[in-house]
Amino acid sequence: SNPAESRNSSRLCGGWATPLSKERKPRLAQRLQTDRGLYRALQRWGYYLLALMAWVTVVLAVSALGVLVCSRLTWYETDPLYHLLLWVRDYYFFFCIAVVLLGWVVISWHFISRPVRQLDALIGASAQLTRPTEEPIRLPASMKSVEDQLNLAREEALRAQRAAREAEQRKNDLVVYLAHDLKTPLTSVIGYLTLLRDEPQLSPELRARYTGIALDKAERLEELINEFFEITRFNLSHLELEKQPVDLCRMLQQVVSEFAPMLGERDLTCALELPPSLEYDCDPDKLARVFDNLLRNACHYSTPGSVVRISGGEEGDSIVLRFLNSGRTIPPEKLARIFDQFFRLDSSRATRTGGAGLGLAIAKEILTLHGGTITAWSREDQVCFQVTLPRGGRREEGPAREP
């Protein structure tokens, strides 16, 4: 919003407005919820007192009307009703008190039993919420708003359960694949080293060749072991930020320089289209890991001989960075899951580019901790990842925009 408009509106109210902080908003919502609960309690207490007053008024009115009617009639001692009415007249005060007390008991039972029934229904719904099923939660009509909220929580819990099961299954499958793949390079290393040991008469050229193959297989074995450690670290670690002022342009230049050998191996070039400086308060180690994962992803899946473009700048109150590379178009169904844990774009076990499927998931978690977002689009043999880092506060996640 326009700061001038905010100040003008504040002056009309007789002072300067103070924007609500993130910490005050939950407290304000909790206070409003408490005030609404207090209002409902006072309203119900008022209904209770009104019902008692109405009952006492009805008893007094009916008794007065009965006295008036009975006084105008002629009664005989032989009439059984006459003796009953005499008894009522003699104990009129106590009779009225008894009737009022009886009504008070009935009214109190009505007002007390209803909340108790609602509480029982709520306890049953809460028990159902701890073990959510596809069957919706049902509550009395007077608790329709609570029923809707509980059903929303139930659906969210079901989605979380399904996501957790899918992530666990992907992780288990990946562990099985990695364990299976460990055998192949290990067997090759043992085989070539055994050959070098048992065949001392081999020519220097063959020895160099076999040694190179064994080294290559050992490096692949190291990659697979590192993937195991990556899975373990992701499950056990809790990310915490240590923020400090950082120039994102210099950070990206450093990351790109570290990837020069990998870019050269794949005949790729990296073009930086950045302003002279982009100052931002962040955790440099963790944000560098995000850029490392995105650039590594671009190296693995880019078309050989193409250019990886990293552009960015300030857009409004945010810093927006885009990583664009040429490569096969990612299908929409895979693009929707690309930030899921243990999801690999290339699920083939034979590929050396799949990784553990954690790089983008970790990148998203780190950016979320910074209050930022990461989105992706892919079309016409191009893939783009967009990182948005707000200067202050959190932003809603939106679709990546084509440059």
Side-chain angles (χ1 to χ4, degrees):
S1 61
N2 191 340
E5 293 178 358
S6 300
R7 289 194 294 270
N8 291 335
S9 61
S10 302
R11 292 193 186 100
L12 292 177
C13 297
W16 294 93
T18 302
L20 290 176
S21 64
K22 293 180 183 178
E23 293 77 11
R24 290 182 61 190
K25 287 180 181 179
R27 291 200 299 267
L28 180 59
Q30 184 178 6
R31 182 175 178 182
L32 291 176
Q33 187 71 22
T34 303
D35 291 344
R36 282 195 293 266
L38 181 61
Y39 172 76
R40 293 193 190 98
L42 292 176
Q43 187 182 42
R44 190 162 186 80
W45 179 251
Y47 288 153
Y48 174 69
L49 294 179
L50 185 62
L52 288 179
M53 293 173 60
W55 173 247
V56 172
T57 303
V58 168
V59 170
L60 294 177
V62 170
S63 61
L65 182 62
V67 170
L68 181 62
V69 171
C70 292
S71 63
R72 292 179 178 274
L73 297 177
T74 303
W75 298 93
Y76 300 97
E77 292 187 3
T78 56
D79 192 343
L81 189 58
Y82 173 71
H83 298 283
L84 177 62
L85 293 175
L86 284 178
W87 180 82
V88 171
R89 185 193 63 183
D90 294 339
Y91 299 98
Y92 176 76
F93 177 77
F94 298 103
F95 181 78
C96 288
I97 291 297
V99 174
V100 169
L101 289 176
L102 179 62
W104 172 73
V105 171
V106 173
I107 293 172
S108 298
W109 178 84
H110 173 74
F111 276 86
I112 293 175
S113 63
R114 184 181 178 186
V116 170
R117 290 195 301 270
Q118 292 178 345
L119 182 60
D120 290 339
L122 188 59
I123 292 174
S126 301
Q128 184 178 350
L129 194 60
T130 58
R131 298 182 298 275
T133 61
E134 296 296 337
E135 182 182 355
I137 295 173
R138 302 294 184 188
L139 292 177
S142 59
M143 303 177 69
K144 178 63 177 175
S145 60
V146 178
E147 176 184 308
D148 294 339
Q149 294 176 4
L150 290 177
N151 278 314
L152 287 176
R154 178 187 61 83
E155 293 171 2
E156 184 65 26
L158 287 175
R159 284 194 294 268
Q161 280 186 351
R162 286 193 291 267
R165 284 197 297 268
E166 291 174 1
E168 185 68 19
Q169 184 61 44
R170 287 195 298 270
K171 184 188 73 172
N172 292 338
D173 292 343
L174 185 60
V175 170
V176 172
Y177 294 160
L178 291 175
H180 180 274
D181 287 347
L182 283 173
K183 296 179 180 179
T184 302
L186 186 59
T187 302
S188 298
V189 169
I190 294 174
Y192 282 106
L193 291 179
T194 302
L195 184 63
L196 291 172
R197 184 196 64 186
D198 296 342
E199 301 292 338
Q201 71 277 11
L202 289 176
S203 64
E205 292 79 8
L206 280 178
R207 282 184 173 275
R209 179 186 174 188
Y210 292 161
T211 303
I213 294 175
L215 179 61
D216 182 67
K217 297 300 181 180
E219 290 174 349
R220 177 55 180 162
L221 186 61
E222 182 185 27
E223 291 177 5
L224 293 171
I225 294 174
N226 287 336
E227 289 182 16
F228 271 117
F229 282 118
E230 188 77 6
I231 294 172
T232 304
R233 284 197 301 268
F234 188 81
N235 284 340
L236 299 181
S237 64
H238 175 66
L239 298 179
E240 294 182 357
L241 300 183
E242 297 179 3
K243 291 187 176 182
Q244 62 187 64
V246 174
D247 185 353
L248 297 182
C249 294
R250 294 190 62 182
M251 179 186 290
L252 285 168
Q253 291 169 0
Q254 182 178 353
V255 171
V256 171
S257 66
E258 293 172 355
F259 272 83
M262 182 180 293
L263 291 168
E265 289 177 4
R266 290 165 173 77
D267 193 22
L268 299 172
T269 56
C270 185
L272 290 173
E273 302 171 1
L274 301 170
S277 176
L278 281 175
E279 295 291 334
Y280 188 70
D281 279 346
C282 65
D283 187 318
D285 293 334
K286 292 182 175 58
L287 204 58
R289 186 176 185 183
V290 173
F291 299 153
D292 182 281
N293 288 340
L294 291 175
L295 192 53
R296 187 180 305 275
N297 191 77
C299 290
H300 285 324
Y301 296 103
S302 290
T303 304
S306 62
V307 179
V308 178
R309 299 187 183 277
I310 303 177
S311 60
E314 296 195 31
E315 297 184 7
D317 59 351
S318 301
I319 294 177
V320 178
L321 302 170
R322 297 184 180 90
F323 294 72
L324 179 67
N325 67 278
S326 299
R328 288 185 303 173
T329 301
I330 303 175
E333 62 275 7
K334 289 189 175 182
L335 194 64
R337 300 175 55 198
I338 200 168
F339 298 108
D340 291 350
Q341 301 172 17
F342 307 109
F343 177 77
R344 301 205 302 179
L345 193 61
D346 189 347
S347 58
S348 172
R349 297 207 308 267
T351 183
R352 298 187 61 166
T353 62
L358 288 173
L360 293 178
I362 294 174
K364 183 176 182 180
E365 183 174 349
I366 292 173
L367 290 171
T368 300
L369 289 175
H370 282 84
T373 60
I374 180 171
T375 52
W377 62 262
S378 178
R379 61 177 62 90
E380 297 178 358
D381 293 331
Q382 284 191 326
V383 181
C384 178
F385 288 91
Q386 175 175 303
V387 173
T388 303
L389 295 167
R391 286 291 189 182
R394 292 182 177 269
R395 280 191 168 273
E396 296 297 325
E397 186 170 340
R401 185 163 56 86
E402 296 184 41

